[in-house]
């Protein structure tokens, strides 16, 4: 019956289907409420150190029960009290009778609520950053491997001048590197709410310490350090500013835009059969069309990236309607938007890592596409070669224009191959350069400094960014679904 009950209610696919165990745990009730208890312990320790009547026995008792939460009792208390923090104060006090009088001493609900959220945001970034580093590492290896492989560039999704497969990957990498720096900055900019009281004035703690402002400031600093933060926000209302949530989630949403673009590019290239995401031996692409190799991983990333981008609307609107020192209409919204943003970012990074570890390139297909388009792109080079051989630029331009239109008609009206090169070779006018046509049409002469740009970009901008994550970079991600 228990199994039936589990499948008879909605389960978020972000947890049941997609996100990693570590990110799912980061936003779990167990992590949340054990963090509340740790915060109460930090507060008691700091208050004791600063001279309040808190005993070693009380602190020891709290520490011994930091992890053993009676969730059933907490739920029952909350159903009676209609207050989640007081429910957990009572539950903690039940197993810590000696410490009961000093649990939550001087604090408001946001002492545990907001400070825990900041810890979860910080720890969430610490989960995401190594994953982003691994994606950048895999894509860097790909860019390096294909730095010199010519491929059609596209503007307006129309064939343009050549680039290289590796150079295109560097366009993706540059955006990911921006995301890396943004996430690092957002993580480092996070501060602790600290010990601020009901409206941020610290009035309750000033009373506890009988007007001693220095001790109130010491209390704030000590608890902040115990929680692992370098700084606390100097001023708060009852809550920390909800612009902090905007700052955190905006960079996740921006990363979502990056990944959507990358995976869309791969989907377009898969249609051209130039590049494919990994496709496993027994994987089925379509239930009806057995031949298909659908880019399902990239499609999943695009689908979830749109959700990640859309979630940014929540903190933007929430921050705009926080009245004066606070209003509670932020709470229900943040219970959804904060965890879902990190859970969604987590799975699209893991999926993109899997994609970049197994990207398949088809050089022969790429070469065939270049052959179809390069004669048109080479017309200016042919004109220049003829001028160098003594020809007249205007005469040559007119010859090439006529032959190009004839060749284009074969391609567009008759569905044939581009035969411009054959027309040039058959026209006596171009006899002076026929011996040089192979060199003129060598794709490597059309890629400019792409290989050199790849090498310098990877060396100067990408590899140094990965240095802090070297110990975590070799982890491989196996996609389960």
């Amino acid at each position: 019956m228990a199994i039936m009950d589990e499948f008879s209610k909605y389960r978020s696919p972000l947890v049941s289907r997609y996100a990693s165990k570590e990110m799912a745990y980061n936003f779990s009730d167990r992590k949340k409420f054990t963090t509340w208890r740790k915060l109460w312990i930090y507060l008691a320790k700091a208050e004791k150190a600063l001279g309040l009547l808190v005993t070693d026995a009380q602190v020891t008792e709290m520490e011994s029960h930091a992890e053993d939460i009676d969730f059933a009792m907490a739920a029952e208390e909350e159903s009676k009290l209609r207050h989640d923090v007081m429910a957990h104060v009572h539950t903690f006090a039940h197993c810590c009778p000696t410490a009961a009088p000093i649990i939550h001493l001087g604090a408001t609900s946001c002492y545990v609520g907001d400070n825990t959220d900041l810890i979860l945001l910080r720890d969430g970034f610490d989960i995401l950053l190594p994953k982003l580093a691994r994606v950048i590492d895999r894509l860097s290896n790909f860019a390096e491997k294909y730095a010199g492989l010519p491929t059609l560039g596209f503007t307006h999704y129309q064939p343009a001048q050549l680039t290289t497969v590796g150079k295109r990957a560097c366009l993706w990498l540059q955006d990911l590197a921006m995301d890396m720096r943004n996430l690092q900055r957002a993580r480092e900019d996070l501060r602790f709410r600290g010990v601020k009281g009901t409206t941020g004035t610290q009035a309750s703690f000033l009373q506890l310490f009988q007007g001693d402002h220095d001790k109130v400031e010491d209390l704030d600093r000590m608890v902040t350090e115990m929680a692992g933060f370098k700084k606390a926000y100097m001023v708060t209302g009852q809550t920390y500013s909800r612009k902090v949530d905007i700052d955190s989630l905006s960079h996740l949403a921006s990363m979502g835009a990056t990944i959507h673009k990358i995976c869309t590019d791969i989907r377009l290239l898969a249609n051209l059969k130039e590049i494919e995401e990994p496709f496993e031996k027994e994987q089925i692409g379509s239930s009806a069309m057995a031949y298909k190799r659908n880019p399902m991983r990239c499609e999943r990333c695009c689908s979830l990236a749109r959700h990640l981008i859309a979630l940014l609307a929540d903190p933007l609107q929430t921050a705009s309607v926080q009245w004066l020192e606070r209003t509670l209409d932020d709470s229900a919204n943040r219970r959804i938007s904060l965890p879902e943003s990190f859970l969604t970012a987590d799975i699209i990074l893991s999926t993109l890592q899997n994609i970049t570890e197994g990207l398949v390139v088809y050089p022969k297909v790429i070469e065939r596409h270049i052959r179809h388009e390069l004669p048109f792109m080479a017309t200016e080079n042919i004109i220049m070669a003829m001028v160098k051989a003594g020809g007249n630029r205007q005469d040559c331009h007119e010859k090439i224009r006529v032959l190009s239109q004839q060749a284009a008609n074969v391609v567009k009206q008759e569905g044939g191959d581009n035969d411009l090169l054959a027309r040039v070779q058959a026209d006596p006018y171009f006899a002076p350069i026929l011996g040089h046509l192979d060199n003129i049409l060598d794709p490597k002469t059309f890629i400019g400094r792409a290989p050199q740009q790849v090498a310098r970009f990877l060396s100067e901008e990408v590899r140094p960014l990965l240095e802090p994550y070297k110990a975590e970079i070799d982890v491989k991600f196996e996609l389960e679904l």
Side-chain angles (χ1 to χ4, degrees):
M1 188 63 184
I3 295 177
M4 287 297 293
D5 287 346
E6 182 65 25
F7 289 95
S8 298
K9 60 185 179 182
Y10 175 76
R11 298 183 301 161
S12 170
L14 287 175
V15 175
S16 65
R17 188 175 179 88
Y18 297 134
S20 65
K21 292 178 181 178
E22 62 265 28
M23 190 63 82
Y25 175 73
N26 189 57
F27 290 98
S28 68
D29 283 352
R30 183 166 297 281
K31 172 78 177 277
K32 175 181 178 178
F33 295 125
T34 55
T35 302
W36 283 14
R37 290 193 174 186
K38 289 174 184 176
L39 287 167
W40 283 320
I41 292 168
Y42 301 155
L43 182 62
K45 283 183 171 182
E47 288 174 338
K48 176 182 178 299
L50 292 169
L52 293 188
L53 292 177
V54 178
T55 68
D56 288 335
Q58 288 172 320
V59 171
T60 300
E61 184 181 55
M62 292 169 72
E63 289 179 325
S64 67
H65 292 285
E67 303 286 340
D68 57 344
I69 298 174
D70 187 337
F71 286 99
M73 180 180 179
E76 185 178 344
E77 288 289 325
E78 186 172 354
S79 69
K80 291 188 297 184
L81 304 173
R82 311 300 297 174
H83 196 290
D84 56 349
V85 173
M86 287 310 300
H88 278 269
V89 169
H90 287 191
T91 303
F92 198 18
H94 179 76
C95 60
C96 298
T98 303
I102 55 89
I103 293 174
H104 199 65
L105 181 60
T108 187
S109 298
C110 285
Y111 167 69
V112 289
D114 270 30
N115 282 324
T116 292
D117 285 342
L118 290 162
I119 289 170
L120 299 185
L121 293 179
R122 178 196 65 191
D123 294 353
F125 281 125
D126 287 343
I127 294 170
L128 292 179
L129 282 164
K131 293 190 175 193
L132 179 53
R134 289 196 285 271
V135 168
I136 291 173
D137 174 73
R138 299 336 185 241
L139 202 51
S140 298
N141 296 337
F142 178 85
E144 188 172 47
K145 181 177 180 180
Y146 294 104
L149 181 61
T151 189
L152 278 178
F154 288 89
T155 58
H156 314 274
Y157 200 42
Q158 302 299 312
Q161 288 294 321
L162 301 192
T163 182
T164 70
V165 173
K167 170 66 190 301
R168 177 179 284 144
C170 285
L171 298 180
W172 302 337
L173 278 166
Q174 181 163 251
D175 289 352
L176 289 169
M178 291 173 64
D179 294 320
M180 172 71 84
R181 289 189 289 269
N182 286 339
L183 263 60
Q184 288 172 331
R185 186 196 61 75
R187 192 257 186 244
E188 291 305 311
D189 280 356
L190 283 174
R191 298 187 184 187
F192 206 49
R193 178 191 176 273
V195 184
K196 298 295 196 296
T198 52
T199 57
T201 65
Q202 299 176 305
S204 59
F205 297 104
L206 194 61
Q207 284 189 333
L208 282 173
F209 289 105
Q210 299 179 338
D212 190 329
H213 289 268
D214 290 339
K215 284 192 175 182
V216 175
E217 290 202 3
D218 287 342
L219 179 71
D220 202 3
R221 176 185 53 78
M222 291 168 67
V223 173
T224 296
E225 289 175 356
M226 281 189 269
F229 286 81
K230 296 176 183 176
K231 292 182 179 180
Y233 297 107
M234 292 184 69
V235 294
T236 72
Q238 188 170 93
T239 69
Y240 68 78
S241 169
R242 295 312 185 213
K243 282 186 70 68
V244 174
D245 296 341
I246 295 175
D247 192 41
S248 296
L249 269 58
S250 65
H251 293 313
L252 298 185
S254 180
M255 185 178 72
T258 296
I259 294 175
H260 197 296
K261 185 265 194 292
I262 292 170
C263 290
T264 299
D265 284 355
I266 295 172
R267 290 165 66 189
L268 292 170
L269 294 168
N271 173 259
L272 297 175
K273 298 180 174 60
E274 292 190 357
I275 291 180
E276 285 182 344
E277 67 177 38
F279 196 90
E280 293 162 19
K281 184 178 180 182
E282 297 184 9
Q283 183 175 332
I284 294 174
S286 167
S287 61
M289 294 165 280
Y291 59 88
K292 292 190 76 178
R293 292 168 67 101
N294 297 336
M296 52 81 71
R297 292 165 172 82
C298 287
E299 290 172 321
R300 175 185 297 175
C301 284
C302 289
S303 182
L304 290 172
R306 288 199 298 273
H307 180 58
L308 180 56
I309 293 166
L311 283 168
L312 179 56
D314 281 344
L316 286 167
Q317 295 186 62
T318 294
S320 72
V321 296
Q322 288 304 287
W323 301 347
L324 306 174
E325 278 65 49
R326 84 88 42 107
T327 178
L328 195 61
D329 68 346
D330 63 335
S331 178
N333 186 292
R334 295 174 69 253
R335 288 176 191 266
I336 299 167
S337 60
L338 296 186
E340 286 206 357
S341 292
F342 278 84
L343 289 162
T344 306
D346 179 70
I347 186 56
I348 62 175
L349 279 176
S350 295
T351 307
L352 187 59
Q353 178 185 336
N354 176 264
I355 292 167
T356 53
E357 285 175 348
L359 278 176
V360 181
V361 177
Y362 295 106
K364 292 297 183 183
V365 177
I366 293 173
E367 183 182 338
R368 184 171 73 246
H369 290 158
I370 290 174
R371 285 201 309 270
H372 288 167
E373 301 294 341
L374 192 59
F376 292 139
M377 298 174 190
T379 53
E380 186 66 19
N381 294 35
I382 292 172
I383 292 171
M384 293 301 100
M386 280 295 296
V387 171
K388 288 178 182 178
N392 178 285
R393 188 206 177 272
Q394 274 54 253
D395 292 342
C396 186
H397 183 278
E398 179 60 18
K399 283 278 189 182
I400 285 289
R401 185 187 70 80
V402 171
L403 295 181
S404 294
Q405 290 186 2
Q406 292 171 351
N409 186 65
V410 170
V411 173
K412 294 179 179 180
Q413 301 296 331
E414 301 175 18
D417 291 336
N418 186 341
D419 63 357
L420 176 58
L421 181 57
R423 292 176 186 273
V424 168
Q425 290 171 325
D427 191 321
Y429 176 82
F430 294 99
I433 65 167
L434 291 184
H436 307 294
L437 272 182
D438 285 345
N439 290 333
I440 293 172
L441 290 166
D442 181 357
K444 289 188 179 297
T445 66
F446 288 81
I447 60 175
R449 298 190 64 255
Q452 291 75 21
Q453 288 180 352
V454 171
R456 184 181 174 193
F457 175 65
L458 294 180
S459 172
E460 295 184 19
E461 293 203 25
V462 178
R463 300 298 186 198
L465 202 59
L466 301 179
E467 281 296 316
Y469 308 97
K470 288 182 72 173
E472 302 169 278
I473 224 155
D474 291 332
V475 177
K476 188 174 175 66
F477 176 73
E478 297 293 342
L479 194 67
E480 295 181 4
L481 287 171

